[in-house]
Amino acid sequence: MKPTARMSAIIAGLVIFLGLPLVFYALGEAPRRSILKEAFSILTLLAFSLMIGQFFLARSNEALLSLFKPPQIQKVHKYIAYSAVAVILLHPVLIVLPRAFEGGVTPWGAFLTMITTLDSLGILLGIAGWILLLVLVVTAYFRTPLMKRFTQRYRGWRYFHGGLAVAVTSLGLWHAIELGRHTDIAISAFYVSLTLVGFALLARLYLRAHPNKPRMSPVSEGAAS
Amino acid sequence: MTIKSINGCIGCEECVKSCPCDVIRIDPDSGKAVIAYPADCQICHLCRMYCPVDAIEMAPEKSIPVVVPWG
Amino acid sequence: MTTQNHSAGPTRRAFLALSAATAGLASLGMEAWAENRVAIDVDAMSNSDLSTDVLVIGGGMAGLFAAVKAHDAGAATMIVSKGRLGSSGLTPFGKGFFVFDPETETGTIDDFVETVSRSALGTNNPVYTRQVAEHSLDRARELRDWGFFDQTLANRPFMRPIDERGIPLMERVVITHLIKEDGRIAGAAGFRLDAGETVTVRARSVILCTGAGGFKPNGFPVCDLTHDGTVMAYEIGAKVTGKEWNDGHSTRSVNPAACFDSWGDMFERVPATNGVDVHHDLGVDINYRAYVTGNPVEGGPGAPQPTEEIEGGPYVPQEFQHSGPPGGGGAPGKGGAPGKGGAPGGPPPGFSAGSNVGGASAGMAIHKSEGLVPMDARCASNIPGLYAAGDALGSHMAGGIYTQVGSSLAGSAVQGAIAGEAAAEYARSVDAPTIPEARIAGIRNEILAPLRREAGYGPAWVTQTLQGIMIPNFVLYIKKGSMMQAALAYIEELRDHHAPMLRAADMHELRLAHETRNMILSAEMKLRASLMRTESRCSHYRLDYPEPDDENWRAWINIYKGADGSMQLEKQPFGTWPA
């Protein structure tokens, strides 16, 4: 039973977090541009949905914990952190980079204009989200020494990491809906629903948590990297 | 259609400023560029070339028949 | 129509704005006389009152250098432009910059001036021809320092010297009036596109860098240029010249208005310099071919030379006949694309062969040939304190025909710098002007009049009517006395009964109203000058006078406003300054 269930879980994950965004992209009305630009667009869309997917690759997702060992989930969570999050961190550059291969504004000129348009709510949200995401990445990388500084050790770290992730995702989602070339109503609704489910899982975990008695030993469990 | 659509606008106003014919304006509510006077577009693509996020899509057709010396 | 794809639904105000845009679209070509649904409170409009020593009007290549050099000569200088610095007029599209570099040229400057004069059949002013060769290298060096030759878009490199010097710059301000007091220039007035506000600038000296213009033609990026400077200067008594010449660029017969597409990748190119390369590029020869053989013309720019010979047509001196494509031979030399002024009808890179139609730039004369009559070699007009440079100055630098490739952009830079220094010098010699309040109030009323009309003609409709009268090949290009008289009757009708009744519902339409009125006056100038010149020479071709007439027509035509307000024309012999 378990291998089938595992396979189903993997396929469901791929369909929801990679397949559906591609379908929404294909059905979207944003005009197509060069292959390079469209590739960057798709990459960014997928990276964003994988980032939302991180909420489902954590110990908040009990269904998944019943199918896979926590270190397995943690590993995937970590790989996505390295790849998808890198794309999200780089996406402002990916937007301007193709200008190097055509006439018009230079990539650097475009980048400067973009990040100095501070009267735009979407840009402010994006910059705030980007900085928090960077904090999220750096703190996750140095989580072991960091954990010792929290009074509640692992639990404190978990609240910190989860809370930061919620903030980053909220800002990122709002930013994407506000400015995204491809974030039409359909894909926005999809991302919002997915995010809300992810937040709900996390909330359930936190609300249920027993303050003094973690069920398992902190370091080995959970996909909280 | 001339200038055809704007997708992913960040409201930086580069296109508004760089359009020689004052075709594009910023919508005061959304803070984003809108194609306000499409009939005056001369299809020179400056807006597209100045846009930092490549949001502008152009088309070669005019919405009204144009006057040329012979045809 | 949907003009934007937002994830959020349109708000009520956005919806209203879109509806208004749609209504505006409906008025184009559709609504002629209609009620004027004004969107702003005209009586509540403010005026911003500014003053400076030297006012530069226009933000292209000439305006840039005029401002920089006037400032460097010690004058408080201000730029006002109806577009953006380096992104309006023809400057953004000129990619070739002529440089006479004595180290690489085989001939001398004297040789260059003589060659241009031979190609131009005497129509060039050799003083200005020499000037561009003498100063082009210095201007190119400055532009290189500012990064102009490193990128496609001119705004940032142009902003560098302006920012460094802290020169005040007002963009998206449409100047409609020049102010003359006590027989000399006193300032200018206009309005903002982005606010319900008029603008008056008191200035000791004014430099018009307003470019030339056309009839908002299709296929050439000149639709924002409507001879504004020429017309406002004419209104205060300045003399205007060069109106009979015709620029000869063509466009594709499919989607003719798509100038970016017709020019291939030219608009996306990085500007480059080029050396001496003198042509006799007509452009009007393909108009003649179309007139004689029918159309569309296979073998326009970029296409192979048509095989059959056509009898008659515009005269090309033996020395400058070439075997290249018609109107071409302006193929890009090494080092880049031809300039805007380089090769009319010449094939821009990427321009594919196919059926083409002439008159892409209808209403525009040869670069540097039309505009204010220069009184001296320093760009002065006959109004004390009023200067012009670039395409706003009728310097006849190239003559009534395109001669030196890339000299248009270079000429604007060179003349802008010279006019800037001359204007700064003049400004030092005079007191600040005083303009009576009543005069300013009167001008503001004239500026805002189209907004106050309860009903009137839509500027877009009048423009389209004007295009229908002027642009046909048999009116503007293959000229005949009878046909031009007929066209003149139409234009006089527009001048007398439509220009005074143009309506405008918002600031965008207010601009269109003033532009339309300027184009009507320019059309009258073109017809009257073309009727007067009873010969064919360079880009001016008359079917009823097909040969050059050296006995009577080694002369330019100057146009000015007579004491009774009517348009007056006079001859000025080649090689002389105005009396």
Side-chain angles (χ1 to χ4, degrees), chain B residues 7 14 16-18 20 22 25 27 29 32-34 36-37 39-40 42-43 45 48 50 62 66-67 69-71, chain C residues 4-6 11 13-14 21 28 84 87 155 172 218 221-224 257 259-260 268 295 357-358 473 506 508 511:
Chain B
N7 295 278
E14 282 285 305
V16 176
K17 292 181 198 157
S18 56
D22 190 27
R25 293 295 185 93
D27 181 309
D29 291 317
K32 294 185 179 195
V34 289
Y37 307 99
D40 292 321
Q42 63 175 356
I43 321 184
H45 290 221
R48 178 183 67 73
Y50 270 95
K62 282 284 263 195
V66 300
V67 180
W70 66 82
Chain C
Q4 191 180 22
N5 299 336
H6 274 179
T11 61
R13 270 178 73 189
L28 275 149
R84 185 187 206 187
S87 180
N155 177 256
R172 292 171 64 77
N218 295 290
V222 72
C223 295
D224 58 330
C259 58
F260 177 88
E268 290 187 308
N295 57 75
V357 59
N473 202 25
D506 56 22
H508 176 83
R511 166 180 166 169

Short mmCIF file of all heavy atoms in Angstrom, two decimals, chain B residues 7 14 16-18 20 22 25 27 29 32-34 36-37 39-40 42-43 45 48 50 62 66-67 69-71, chain C residues 4-6 11 13-14 21 28 84 87 155 172 218 221-224 257 259-260 268 295 357-358 473 506 508 511:
data_model
loop_
_atom_site.label_atom_id
_atom_site.label_comp_id
_atom_site.label_asym_id
_atom_site.label_seq_id
_atom_site.Cartn_x
_atom_site.Cartn_y
_atom_site.Cartn_z
N ASN B 7 1.45 44.55 -19.75
CA ASN B 7 1.32 43.48 -18.76
C ASN B 7 2.50 43.53 -17.80
O ASN B 7 3.64 43.49 -18.22
CB ASN B 7 1.33 42.11 -19.45
CG ASN B 7 0.12 41.93 -20.35
OD1 ASN B 7 -0.96 41.58 -19.89
ND2 ASN B 7 0.30 42.22 -21.63
N GLU B 14 8.20 55.49 -17.14
CA GLU B 14 9.17 55.63 -18.23
C GLU B 14 8.47 55.73 -19.59
O GLU B 14 8.86 56.53 -20.44
CB GLU B 14 10.14 54.44 -18.24
CG GLU B 14 11.22 54.51 -17.19
CD GLU B 14 12.32 55.50 -17.53
OE1 GLU B 14 12.90 55.40 -18.60
OE2 GLU B 14 12.56 56.41 -16.71
N VAL B 16 5.35 56.68 -20.20
CA VAL B 16 4.58 57.92 -20.30
C VAL B 16 5.51 59.04 -20.75
O VAL B 16 5.20 59.80 -21.67
CB VAL B 16 3.93 58.28 -18.95
CG1 VAL B 16 3.21 59.61 -19.03
CG2 VAL B 16 2.99 57.18 -18.50
N LYS B 17 6.68 59.12 -20.11
CA LYS B 17 7.62 60.18 -20.43
C LYS B 17 8.23 60.01 -21.81
O LYS B 17 8.44 60.98 -22.53
CB LYS B 17 8.75 60.22 -19.40
CG LYS B 17 8.31 60.65 -18.02
CD LYS B 17 9.55 60.66 -17.12
CE LYS B 17 9.16 60.64 -15.65
NZ LYS B 17 10.27 60.11 -14.84
N SER B 18 8.53 58.77 -22.19
CA SER B 18 9.30 58.60 -23.43
C SER B 18 8.42 58.51 -24.67
O SER B 18 8.94 58.48 -25.77
CB SER B 18 10.21 57.37 -23.33
OG SER B 18 9.44 56.24 -23.03
N PRO B 20 6.67 60.03 -27.56
CA PRO B 20 6.67 61.37 -28.16
C PRO B 20 5.26 61.90 -28.37
O PRO B 20 5.06 63.11 -28.44
CB PRO B 20 7.36 61.15 -29.51
CG PRO B 20 8.11 59.86 -29.38
CD PRO B 20 7.30 59.03 -28.43
N ASP B 22 2.39 61.24 -26.49
CA ASP B 22 1.50 61.33 -25.33
C ASP B 22 0.36 60.30 -25.42
O ASP B 22 -0.80 60.63 -25.18
CB ASP B 22 0.94 62.76 -25.23
CG ASP B 22 0.19 63.00 -23.92
OD1 ASP B 22 0.51 62.32 -22.92
OD2 ASP B 22 -0.73 63.84 -23.91
N ARG B 25 -0.77 57.13 -20.37
CA ARG B 25 -0.90 57.90 -19.13
C ARG B 25 -0.93 56.94 -17.95
O ARG B 25 -1.18 55.75 -18.10
CB ARG B 25 -2.20 58.72 -19.15
CG ARG B 25 -2.22 59.85 -20.18
CD ARG B 25 -1.17 60.90 -19.86
NE ARG B 25 -1.23 62.05 -20.76
CZ ARG B 25 -1.94 63.15 -20.50
NH1 ARG B 25 -2.66 63.24 -19.41
NH2 ARG B 25 -1.93 64.15 -21.35
N ASP B 27 -2.83 55.61 -14.76
CA ASP B 27 -4.15 55.59 -14.16
C ASP B 27 -4.00 56.02 -12.69
O ASP B 27 -3.23 55.40 -11.95
CB ASP B 27 -4.71 54.16 -14.24
CG ASP B 27 -6.10 54.08 -13.64
OD1 ASP B 27 -6.28 54.55 -12.50
OD2 ASP B 27 -7.00 53.54 -14.30
N ASP B 29 -5.75 55.68 -10.14
CA ASP B 29 -6.19 54.72 -9.10
C ASP B 29 -5.24 53.54 -8.97
O ASP B 29 -4.80 53.19 -7.88
CB ASP B 29 -7.59 54.21 -9.42
CG ASP B 29 -8.61 55.32 -9.25
OD1 ASP B 29 -8.50 56.05 -8.26
OD2 ASP B 29 -9.48 55.47 -10.13
N LYS B 32 -0.81 52.50 -12.49
CA LYS B 32 -0.15 51.81 -13.61
C LYS B 32 -0.44 52.51 -14.94
O LYS B 32 -1.41 53.26 -15.06
CB LYS B 32 -0.66 50.38 -13.68
CG LYS B 32 -0.25 49.57 -12.47
CD LYS B 32 -0.66 48.14 -12.62
CE LYS B 32 -0.19 47.36 -11.40
NZ LYS B 32 -0.25 45.93 -11.64
N ALA B 33 0.39 52.21 -15.93
CA ALA B 33 0.24 52.84 -17.24
C ALA B 33 -0.96 52.27 -17.97
O ALA B 33 -1.20 51.06 -17.94
CB ALA B 33 1.51 52.62 -18.05
N VAL B 34 -1.71 53.16 -18.60
CA VAL B 34 -2.81 52.73 -19.47
C VAL B 34 -2.65 53.38 -20.84
O VAL B 34 -2.07 54.46 -20.96
CB VAL B 34 -4.19 53.10 -18.89
CG1 VAL B 34 -4.52 52.25 -17.69
CG2 VAL B 34 -4.27 54.58 -18.55
N ALA B 36 -3.98 55.48 -23.21
CA ALA B 36 -5.06 56.46 -23.13
C ALA B 36 -5.49 56.97 -24.51
O ALA B 36 -6.66 57.22 -24.74
CB ALA B 36 -4.63 57.63 -22.25
N TYR B 37 -4.53 57.12 -25.42
CA TYR B 37 -4.85 57.71 -26.73
C TYR B 37 -4.23 56.87 -27.85
O TYR B 37 -3.31 57.33 -28.54
CB TYR B 37 -4.33 59.16 -26.79
CG TYR B 37 -4.80 60.02 -25.64
CD1 TYR B 37 -3.99 60.26 -24.54
CD2 TYR B 37 -6.10 60.57 -25.65
CE1 TYR B 37 -4.43 61.05 -23.48
CE2 TYR B 37 -6.55 61.35 -24.60
CZ TYR B 37 -5.71 61.58 -23.51
OH TYR B 37 -6.15 62.36 -22.47
N ALA B 39 -4.98 56.05 -30.80
CA ALA B 39 -4.99 56.51 -32.19
C ALA B 39 -3.79 57.39 -32.51
O ALA B 39 -3.45 57.57 -33.67
CB ALA B 39 -6.29 57.26 -32.48
N ASP B 40 -3.14 57.97 -31.49
CA ASP B 40 -2.01 58.84 -31.75
C ASP B 40 -0.67 58.12 -31.73
O ASP B 40 0.39 58.76 -31.85
CB ASP B 40 -1.99 59.98 -30.72
CG ASP B 40 -3.16 60.93 -30.93
OD1 ASP B 40 -3.49 61.20 -32.09
OD2 ASP B 40 -3.76 61.39 -29.94
N GLN B 42 2.52 56.35 -32.98
CA GLN B 42 3.21 56.33 -34.28
C GLN B 42 4.02 55.04 -34.47
O GLN B 42 4.82 54.93 -35.39
CB GLN B 42 4.08 57.57 -34.46
CG GLN B 42 5.22 57.67 -33.44
CD GLN B 42 6.15 58.85 -33.70
OE1 GLN B 42 6.02 59.56 -34.68
NE2 GLN B 42 7.12 59.04 -32.81
N ILE B 43 3.81 54.08 -33.57
CA ILE B 43 4.43 52.75 -33.69
C ILE B 43 5.95 52.85 -33.78
O ILE B 43 6.59 52.20 -34.59
CB ILE B 43 3.82 51.95 -34.87
CG1 ILE B 43 2.30 52.19 -34.98
CG2 ILE B 43 4.08 50.46 -34.72
CD1 ILE B 43 1.59 51.40 -36.05
N HIS B 45 7.89 52.33 -30.98
CA HIS B 45 8.41 51.38 -30.00
C HIS B 45 9.27 52.00 -28.90
O HIS B 45 9.91 51.26 -28.16
CB HIS B 45 9.20 50.25 -30.68
CG HIS B 45 8.34 49.30 -31.47
ND1 HIS B 45 8.54 47.94 -31.45
CD2 HIS B 45 7.29 49.51 -32.28
CE1 HIS B 45 7.65 47.36 -32.26
NE2 HIS B 45 6.89 48.29 -32.78
N ARG B 48 8.20 50.75 -25.50
CA ARG B 48 8.62 49.36 -25.27
C ARG B 48 10.11 49.30 -24.94
O ARG B 48 10.53 48.57 -24.04
CB ARG B 48 8.33 48.52 -26.52
CG ARG B 48 8.76 47.06 -26.41
CD ARG B 48 8.52 46.28 -27.69
NE ARG B 48 9.35 46.71 -28.81
CZ ARG B 48 10.65 46.46 -28.92
NH1 ARG B 48 11.30 45.82 -27.98
NH2 ARG B 48 11.32 46.89 -29.98
N TYR B 50 11.97 51.64 -23.62
CA TYR B 50 12.29 52.27 -22.34
C TYR B 50 11.75 51.49 -21.15
O TYR B 50 12.22 51.66 -20.02
CB TYR B 50 11.74 53.70 -22.29
CG TYR B 50 12.71 54.76 -22.79
CD1 TYR B 50 12.67 55.21 -24.11
CD2 TYR B 50 13.68 55.30 -21.96
CE1 TYR B 50 13.55 56.17 -24.58
CE2 TYR B 50 14.56 56.27 -22.41
CZ TYR B 50 14.49 56.70 -23.73
OH TYR B 50 15.38 57.66 -24.19
N LYS B 62 -2.68 50.02 -37.41
CA LYS B 62 -3.37 51.17 -36.85
C LYS B 62 -4.85 50.83 -36.76
O LYS B 62 -5.37 50.01 -37.53
CB LYS B 62 -3.21 52.41 -37.74
CG LYS B 62 -1.87 53.11 -37.64
CD LYS B 62 -1.71 53.93 -36.37
CE LYS B 62 -2.03 55.40 -36.61
NZ LYS B 62 -1.55 56.25 -35.50
N VAL B 66 -5.18 54.68 -42.71
CA VAL B 66 -4.23 55.79 -42.73
C VAL B 66 -4.10 56.38 -44.13
O VAL B 66 -4.33 55.70 -45.13
CB VAL B 66 -2.84 55.34 -42.22
CG1 VAL B 66 -2.95 54.83 -40.79
CG2 VAL B 66 -2.24 54.28 -43.12
N VAL B 67 -3.75 57.66 -44.19
CA VAL B 67 -3.59 58.36 -45.46
C VAL B 67 -2.14 58.23 -45.93
O VAL B 67 -1.23 58.59 -45.20
CB VAL B 67 -3.97 59.85 -45.32
CG1 VAL B 67 -3.80 60.57 -46.65
CG2 VAL B 67 -5.40 60.00 -44.81
N PRO B 69 0.42 58.56 -49.75
CA PRO B 69 0.36 59.26 -51.04
C PRO B 69 -0.29 58.47 -52.17
O PRO B 69 -0.86 59.04 -53.09
CB PRO B 69 1.82 59.54 -51.36
CG PRO B 69 2.49 59.58 -50.04
CD PRO B 69 1.78 58.55 -49.22
N TRP B 70 -0.11 57.16 -52.15
CA TRP B 70 -0.81 56.36 -53.15
C TRP B 70 -1.07 55.00 -52.55
O TRP B 70 -0.43 54.60 -51.59
CB TRP B 70 -0.03 56.27 -54.46
CG TRP B 70 1.27 55.52 -54.38
CD1 TRP B 70 1.45 54.16 -54.43
CD2 TRP B 70 2.59 56.09 -54.27
NE1 TRP B 70 2.79 53.86 -54.35
CE2 TRP B 70 3.51 55.01 -54.26
CE3 TRP B 70 3.07 57.39 -54.18
CZ2 TRP B 70 4.89 55.21 -54.15
CZ3 TRP B 70 4.44 57.57 -54.08
CH2 TRP B 70 5.34 56.50 -54.07
N GLY B 71 -2.04 54.30 -53.13
CA GLY B 71 -2.35 53.01 -52.52
C GLY B 71 -3.22 52.16 -53.42
O GLY B 71 -3.45 52.48 -54.57
N GLN C 4 -5.55 47.14 -21.10
CA GLN C 4 -4.61 46.67 -20.11
C GLN C 4 -5.12 45.40 -19.46
O GLN C 4 -6.31 45.23 -19.25
CB GLN C 4 -4.44 47.74 -19.04
CG GLN C 4 -3.28 47.43 -18.13
CD GLN C 4 -3.12 48.50 -17.09
OE1 GLN C 4 -4.05 49.21 -16.80
NE2 GLN C 4 -1.95 48.57 -16.51
N ASN C 5 -4.22 44.51 -19.17
CA ASN C 5 -4.60 43.29 -18.49
C ASN C 5 -4.18 43.37 -17.03
O ASN C 5 -3.03 43.18 -16.70
CB ASN C 5 -3.95 42.07 -19.14
CG ASN C 5 -4.39 41.93 -20.58
OD1 ASN C 5 -5.46 42.43 -20.94
ND2 ASN C 5 -3.58 41.28 -21.38
N HIS C 6 -5.12 43.66 -16.19
CA HIS C 6 -4.83 43.71 -14.78
C HIS C 6 -5.46 42.52 -14.11
O HIS C 6 -6.50 42.05 -14.53
CB HIS C 6 -5.45 44.96 -14.15
CG HIS C 6 -4.57 46.15 -14.28
ND1 HIS C 6 -4.93 47.37 -13.82
CD2 HIS C 6 -3.35 46.29 -14.83
CE1 HIS C 6 -3.97 48.23 -14.06
NE2 HIS C 6 -3.01 47.60 -14.69
N THR C 11 -11.44 49.89 -11.37
CA THR C 11 -12.26 50.65 -10.46
C THR C 11 -13.19 51.54 -11.27
O THR C 11 -13.04 51.64 -12.50
CB THR C 11 -11.38 51.55 -9.58
OG1 THR C 11 -10.68 52.43 -10.45
CG2 THR C 11 -10.40 50.72 -8.78
N ARG C 13 -13.29 54.78 -11.38
CA ARG C 13 -12.58 55.87 -12.05
C ARG C 13 -11.76 55.37 -13.23
O ARG C 13 -11.71 56.01 -14.27
CB ARG C 13 -11.69 56.63 -11.07
CG ARG C 13 -12.43 57.78 -10.42
CD ARG C 13 -11.56 58.48 -9.42
NE ARG C 13 -10.50 59.28 -10.05
CZ ARG C 13 -9.52 59.81 -9.35
NH1 ARG C 13 -9.44 59.63 -8.05
NH2 ARG C 13 -8.62 60.54 -9.96
N ALA C 14 -11.14 54.20 -13.03
CA ALA C 14 -10.36 53.63 -14.13
C ALA C 14 -11.29 53.32 -15.30
O ALA C 14 -10.96 53.55 -16.46
CB ALA C 14 -9.65 52.37 -13.67
N ALA C 21 -11.19 57.30 -23.00
CA ALA C 21 -10.23 56.99 -24.05
C ALA C 21 -10.94 56.40 -25.27
O ALA C 21 -10.63 56.71 -26.40
CB ALA C 21 -9.18 56.02 -23.53
N LEU C 28 -11.82 60.10 -33.37
CA LEU C 28 -10.79 60.14 -34.40
C LEU C 28 -11.32 59.67 -35.73
O LEU C 28 -11.69 58.53 -35.89
CB LEU C 28 -9.60 59.29 -33.96
CG LEU C 28 -8.69 60.12 -33.09
CD1 LEU C 28 -8.01 59.28 -32.08
CD2 LEU C 28 -7.71 60.87 -33.94
N ARG C 84 10.26 64.23 -23.87
CA ARG C 84 11.30 63.96 -22.90
C ARG C 84 12.66 64.21 -23.55
O ARG C 84 12.82 63.97 -24.75
CB ARG C 84 11.22 62.49 -22.49
CG ARG C 84 12.17 62.09 -21.40
CD ARG C 84 12.12 60.60 -21.19
NE ARG C 84 12.52 60.26 -19.82
CZ ARG C 84 12.70 59.02 -19.38
NH1 ARG C 84 12.50 58.00 -20.20
NH2 ARG C 84 13.05 58.80 -18.15
N SER C 87 14.14 61.85 -26.12
CA SER C 87 13.13 60.85 -26.50
C SER C 87 11.95 61.49 -27.19
O SER C 87 10.83 61.01 -27.09
CB SER C 87 12.67 60.07 -25.27
OG SER C 87 11.70 59.11 -25.63
N ASN C 155 18.10 59.22 -23.69
CA ASN C 155 17.74 60.01 -22.52
C ASN C 155 18.83 60.07 -21.46
O ASN C 155 19.20 61.14 -20.99
CB ASN C 155 16.43 59.51 -21.90
CG ASN C 155 16.06 60.26 -20.63
OD1 ASN C 155 16.21 59.75 -19.53
ND2 ASN C 155 15.61 61.49 -20.79
N ARG C 172 7.35 67.55 -20.96
CA ARG C 172 5.89 67.47 -21.17
C ARG C 172 5.21 68.81 -20.95
O ARG C 172 4.14 68.90 -20.36
CB ARG C 172 5.29 66.35 -20.31
CG ARG C 172 5.76 64.96 -20.80
CD ARG C 172 5.39 63.84 -19.89
NE ARG C 172 3.95 63.65 -19.77
CZ ARG C 172 3.17 63.06 -20.67
NH1 ARG C 172 3.71 62.61 -21.79
NH2 ARG C 172 1.89 62.92 -20.47
N ASN C 218 2.28 58.76 -41.84
CA ASN C 218 2.36 57.36 -41.43
C ASN C 218 3.62 56.71 -41.97
O ASN C 218 3.89 56.75 -43.15
CB ASN C 218 1.13 56.62 -41.96
CG ASN C 218 -0.13 57.15 -41.32
OD1 ASN C 218 -0.36 56.95 -40.13
ND2 ASN C 218 -0.91 57.88 -42.09
N PRO C 221 8.75 58.46 -37.87
CA PRO C 221 8.46 58.81 -36.47
C PRO C 221 8.51 60.31 -36.21
O PRO C 221 9.27 60.78 -35.37
CB PRO C 221 9.57 58.07 -35.71
CG PRO C 221 10.71 58.04 -36.68
CD PRO C 221 10.10 57.92 -38.05
N VAL C 222 7.69 61.06 -36.92
CA VAL C 222 7.74 62.52 -36.83
C VAL C 222 6.40 63.10 -36.38
O VAL C 222 6.15 64.30 -36.48
CB VAL C 222 8.20 63.10 -38.20
CG1 VAL C 222 7.11 62.97 -39.24
CG2 VAL C 222 8.69 64.53 -38.10
N CYS C 223 5.53 62.22 -35.83
CA CYS C 223 4.16 62.66 -35.54
C CYS C 223 4.06 63.64 -34.38
O CYS C 223 3.03 64.27 -34.18
CB CYS C 223 3.25 61.45 -35.31
SG CYS C 223 3.08 60.45 -36.79
N ASP C 224 5.12 63.77 -33.57
CA ASP C 224 5.06 64.76 -32.50
C ASP C 224 5.59 66.11 -32.96
O ASP C 224 5.49 67.09 -32.23
CB ASP C 224 5.85 64.28 -31.27
CG ASP C 224 7.31 63.99 -31.59
OD1 ASP C 224 7.61 63.62 -32.74
OD2 ASP C 224 8.14 64.14 -30.68
N ALA C 257 1.82 52.52 -41.42
CA ALA C 257 2.07 53.36 -40.24
C ALA C 257 3.11 52.76 -39.29
O ALA C 257 3.62 53.44 -38.42
CB ALA C 257 0.77 53.60 -39.48
N CYS C 259 6.20 52.36 -38.37
CA CYS C 259 7.53 52.82 -38.77
C CYS C 259 8.64 51.98 -38.15
O CYS C 259 9.65 51.76 -38.78
CB CYS C 259 7.71 54.31 -38.55
SG CYS C 259 7.49 54.90 -36.91
N PHE C 260 8.43 51.50 -36.94
CA PHE C 260 9.47 50.64 -36.35
C PHE C 260 9.71 49.42 -37.24
O PHE C 260 10.84 49.07 -37.56
CB PHE C 260 9.05 50.18 -34.95
CG PHE C 260 10.03 49.23 -34.32
CD1 PHE C 260 11.10 49.72 -33.58
CD2 PHE C 260 9.92 47.86 -34.49
CE1 PHE C 260 12.02 48.85 -33.01
CE2 PHE C 260 10.84 46.99 -33.92
CZ PHE C 260 11.89 47.49 -33.19
N GLU C 268 16.65 50.26 -32.99
CA GLU C 268 17.25 49.60 -31.84
C GLU C 268 18.77 49.67 -31.87
O GLU C 268 19.44 49.09 -31.03
CB GLU C 268 16.79 48.13 -31.78
CG GLU C 268 15.33 47.98 -31.42
CD GLU C 268 14.93 46.54 -31.21
OE1 GLU C 268 15.21 45.72 -32.11
OE2 GLU C 268 14.34 46.24 -30.17
N ASN C 295 1.08 51.85 -59.37
CA ASN C 295 1.60 51.43 -58.07
C ASN C 295 1.01 50.11 -57.66
O ASN C 295 0.13 49.62 -58.33
CB ASN C 295 1.23 52.50 -57.07
CG ASN C 295 -0.28 52.71 -57.07
OD1 ASN C 295 -1.02 51.89 -56.55
ND2 ASN C 295 -0.75 53.79 -57.71
N VAL C 357 5.53 52.41 -50.41
CA VAL C 357 4.80 53.61 -50.75
C VAL C 357 5.61 54.81 -50.23
O VAL C 357 6.20 54.75 -49.15
CB VAL C 357 3.36 53.55 -50.19
CG1 VAL C 357 3.35 53.39 -48.68
CG2 VAL C 357 2.56 54.76 -50.60
N GLY C 358 5.68 55.86 -51.05
CA GLY C 358 6.46 57.03 -50.67
C GLY C 358 5.69 57.89 -49.67
O GLY C 358 4.60 57.55 -49.23
N ASN C 473 0.10 61.87 -53.69
CA ASN C 473 1.30 62.01 -54.51
C ASN C 473 1.19 63.17 -55.50
O ASN C 473 2.14 63.90 -55.74
CB ASN C 473 1.52 60.69 -55.26
CG ASN C 473 2.95 60.49 -55.72
OD1 ASN C 473 3.88 61.06 -55.15
ND2 ASN C 473 3.13 59.70 -56.76
N ASP C 506 -9.46 67.78 -23.20
CA ASP C 506 -8.46 67.61 -22.13
C ASP C 506 -7.11 68.15 -22.62
O ASP C 506 -7.02 68.67 -23.73
CB ASP C 506 -8.36 66.14 -21.70
CG ASP C 506 -8.03 65.22 -22.88
OD1 ASP C 506 -7.47 65.71 -23.89
OD2 ASP C 506 -8.30 64.01 -22.80
N HIS C 508 -4.43 66.64 -23.53
CA HIS C 508 -3.91 65.92 -24.70
C HIS C 508 -4.53 66.51 -25.98
O HIS C 508 -3.83 66.78 -26.95
CB HIS C 508 -4.23 64.43 -24.58
CG HIS C 508 -3.82 63.63 -25.77
ND1 HIS C 508 -2.55 63.16 -25.94
CD2 HIS C 508 -4.51 63.24 -26.88
CE1 HIS C 508 -2.47 62.49 -27.09
NE2 HIS C 508 -3.65 62.53 -27.67
N ARG C 511 -3.21 69.91 -26.89
CA ARG C 511 -1.98 69.81 -27.67
C ARG C 511 -2.31 69.53 -29.14
O ARG C 511 -1.78 70.19 -30.03
CB ARG C 511 -1.10 68.69 -27.09
CG ARG C 511 0.03 68.28 -27.99
CD ARG C 511 0.86 67.17 -27.36
NE ARG C 511 1.72 66.57 -28.39
CZ ARG C 511 2.71 65.74 -28.13
NH1 ARG C 511 2.98 65.39 -26.89
NH2 ARG C 511 3.45 65.24 -29.10
#
